[in-house]
Amino acid sequence: MQTLRVLAALLIVGAGILAYAVWGGPGRQPNLAPPTAPRPVPVAELTTLQPVKEIAVEYHTPDMPPGPGHEQFATQCVICHSPRYILNQPIFPRKSWTAEVLKMVKAYGASITPNDQKQIVDYLVHWHGREDAAPVPATNTASTNK
Amino acid sequence: MSKAFFGNLCMIDNRMLVDIQSARRDLLKSMIALGASTALSACSRKSGLSSFTDLGVPEHRGQGPIDMRPMGRYPEKTDLIMLADRPPLLETPIQYFRSDLTPNDAYFVRWHYAGIPTRVDLRTFKLIVTGAVARPLQLSLNDLITQFEPVSAVVFSQCAGNSRNFFRPQVPGAEWTNGAMGNAHYKGVRLRDVLKMAGVSAKAVEASFRGLDEPPLQSSPPFEKPLPIEQALQGDAIIAYEMNGSPLPMLNGFPIRLVVPGWFATYWVKSLAQITVRIESLSTFWVNTAYRVPVSRDYVEDPKNPSTHTTPLTIYPTRSVFVTPDAAAKVRKNSVTHVEGIAVDSGAGIRQVEFSADSGRTWMNARLDPAIDKYSWRRWRVDWRPVQAGSYVLKCRATNNNGETQCDSEWNHGGYARHSIETLHVEVG
C-alpha cells in the first residue's frame, strides 16, 4: 500500500514535470511554424472519401503597354497563353521574335494572317525587343582607309 | 529546417522508406519518432489556397545574384518563381534543394498548354490503354492500386530546359535557372506490368502517352510523348499515384503521372489518361521538332550554323550544381563556409564530385553523401576556408560510374540538357 502511494506520488510529480516541459517554462521557444495540415487522405481511399479534386486557378495577367500592333497581340496571342510569355523572355531582336511568331503559326496552328503577324512582331519588338543589329560591313575599316 | 535531416523527413513515413537503400535509412527511421511532427509542421502546406502573391517586384528577370523574378502561388503550392501564369511555369527556389526530397508544394511546375486539368473525378477517371494491344484496358485509380504490384523509388526529375537561362547567346523558351528540377519519392505501378496486362503486339515500336491537358486550338498538336517500346517494356518507368507519401498535386499531374527514371521530364506525362501502343512512330511537332538536340558530343552546335542532324533528347547527362552558398551571401575569410550541391546522372551512379575555388585551376574532391536510390540525385559537400578576401569563382564537376563527366561550355538551339561545369561567383570579405 505504501509502495503504491509512493508510486502514485511519483506519477503525479512526473506528469507535472512533463506538463511543464511541454506547455510552459521560461526556456520554451515560441512555435512559429504554421499549424500542421491535416494528413491527406491515403491514395487507396481517395475514390471513396474524396473522389473529386478541383482547383481554382487565378491567373496573373500583366498589363500590355500600348504600342503598334497592340490590338493584334491582345486579341490573338492571348487566346493561347499569357502575355507573361513575352516578359519572361530575353530582350530578343526582331529576327528572333519573327521566328517565334512564325512558330506559333506553323507549329501550334495559330491562324494569324501575314499582315497581323507583322503587326505582332512590331509590338513584340516595341514592348520587349530590339531591332536587329546592323550587319557587319564586309570590308573592315583598315582596308577601306588604305 | 536548417538540418538536412528534418528536410528529409518532410511528408515521409515508414512505408515510404522501403526502397531507400542507404546507411541513412536506419538513422532516418530512428529520427522519425522525434522529428516527424516537427518536420511536418515546418513544411508549410497550404492546400486549397489560390491567392496570387504579388511581391511588387519589377517585371523583369534578375541579372545579378539577387533574384528579381516575380513569385506566384498556385493551389497546393507554396510561393514559387513564376515564369508564366497561363499555363503556369513555376520554378523551385534553390533553397528547397537543401532537402533530399523536394516537398510537393515546392516542386516545379511546367505545362505546355493553358488547357490544364483543374478537376478530376476519380469515380469516372480512367487510364486507357489502346492501340496495338491484345486487350485494351480502362483502369481506374483503384484498379491500378489493387490489380498491380506496387513499387516505389526516389527519382530525380529535370525539365529538358532546366538552366536554359544560362545559355549564351540566349535562346527562346522557358527561361529557367536551376530550379526546374526536384527529387521525390514516388509510389505506383510498373508501366511494363500494365502493358503486359494489355498484351503488346510483337509489331509495336513505341508506346505514347497523353495527359488530361488540352491544346488551345483544334489545329494545335496535342502534347503526346512516345517511349521506344523496349524502354516501355524493359525500363524502370512507373505510373505513379503517390508523391512523397501524398496524392500528387493537381499541377504535378494528379491523379497519376508517368515517371521515367533517368529520362528528362518531358516524358513524365502528367495526369496520364491514355497510353497508345503504336506500330508506327508518332510524328508530330512534339516529336519531330521540339525537344531535339544535335547529334554531337555534349549536344554542342554552332549558334551561327545550327545543326540539321538532330535526335530526341532522352536521358540526363552527368551534372552537378551548387545549392549553397547563396550567390548573394557574403562569405567570411578565415572561416569555414559550407559548400553543398547535388549531382545527377541517368542511373549509373555518381562516382566523384570535384570542387574548385580558383576557377578550375585546381580541384579537390567533395564528400559524397550516401547514395539514396539508383535514380535519385546525390548530395556532395565541401568545407571551404578562403584565407584571402576578394572575388572567387567556384566550380563543381561530377563524374559518374561510367566515367562520364562535364564539359566546359555548350550551346544548342533549344537550350536543352545544360550540363556544362557550373560556376558560382562569390565575394569573400
Side-chain angles (χ1 to χ4, degrees), chain A residues 51 53 59 78 82 88-89 109, chain B residues 76 83 85-86 122 173 219-220:
Chain A
K53 178 148 169 162
Y59 295 115
V78 301
S82 168
N88 73 27
Q89 293 303 291
Chain B
E76 304 176 285
L83 272 59
D85 56 308
R86 179 177 63 92
L122 294 173
S219 44
S220 309

Side-chain angles (χ1 to χ4, degrees), chain A residues 34 36 39-40 43 51-57 59-61 78 80-82 84-85 88-90 92 100 107-109, chain B residues 13 41 50 52 59 74-76 83-87 118-120 122 170 172-173 175 219-221 246 248 250 285:
Chain A
T36 307
R39 229 190 130 59
V43 174
V52 177
K53 178 148 169 162
E54 184 161 18
I55 59 169
V57 177
Y59 295 115
H60 186 73
T61 308
V78 301
C80 296
H81 61 80
S82 168
R84 199 173 289 279
Y85 266 62
N88 73 27
Q89 293 303 291
F92 279 131
E100 283 304 293
Y108 294 109
Chain B
D13 61 26
S41 61
S50 62
F52 170 77
E59 292 281 350
Y74 277 72
E76 304 176 285
L83 272 59
D85 56 308
R86 179 177 63 92
T118 55
R119 185 179 193 277
V120 172
L122 294 173
Q170 288 183 294
E175 297 295 322
S219 44
S220 309
S246 299
L248 283 81
M250 187 73 92
F285 164 75

Side-chain angles (χ1 to χ4, degrees), chain B residues 142-143 403:
Chain B
N142 276 352
D143 291 339

Side-chain angles (χ1 to χ4, degrees), chain B residues 142-279:
Chain B
N142 276 352
D143 291 339
L144 287 168
I145 293 170
T146 56
Q147 294 179 22
F148 299 89
E149 182 192 350
V151 290
S152 66
V154 175
V155 189
F156 168 78
S157 86
Q158 176 175 224
C159 179
N162 193 26
S163 317
R164 177 181 284 123
N165 189 243
F166 301 129
F167 282 92
R168 293 294 180 276
Q170 288 183 294
V171 290
E175 297 295 322
W176 308 106
T177 58
N178 282 349
M181 64 176 189
N183 210 41
H185 188 277
Y186 295 96
K187 184 177 177 187
V189 303
R190 294 183 193 91
L191 170 64
R192 61 174 189 256
D193 289 351
V194 172
L195 290 174
K196 275 173 196 158
M197 181 182 273
V200 170
S201 159
K203 292 183 198 156
V205 296
E206 64 187 28
S208 64
F209 304 87
R210 269 189 76 171
L212 294 173
D213 47 321
E214 290 173 358
L217 306 169
Q218 289 265 321
S219 44
S220 309
F223 182 70
E224 180 167 1
K225 292 293 290 190
L227 285 177
I229 198 68
E230 53 275 16
Q231 177 65 25
L233 288 175
Q234 290 154 32
D236 296 322
I238 299 169
I239 298 170
Y241 46 68
E242 209 176 275
M243 179 179 182
N244 292 330
S246 299
L248 283 81
M250 187 73 92
L251 293 176
N252 293 109
F254 183 85
I256 50 172
R257 85 174 296 176
L258 193 62
V259 168
V260 192
W263 287 52
F264 275 100
T266 180
Y267 294 94
W268 296 38
V269 170
K270 295 184 290 298
S271 301
L272 179 65
Q274 184 166 320
I275 302 175
T276 308
V277 176
R278 297 177 179 274
I279 55 171

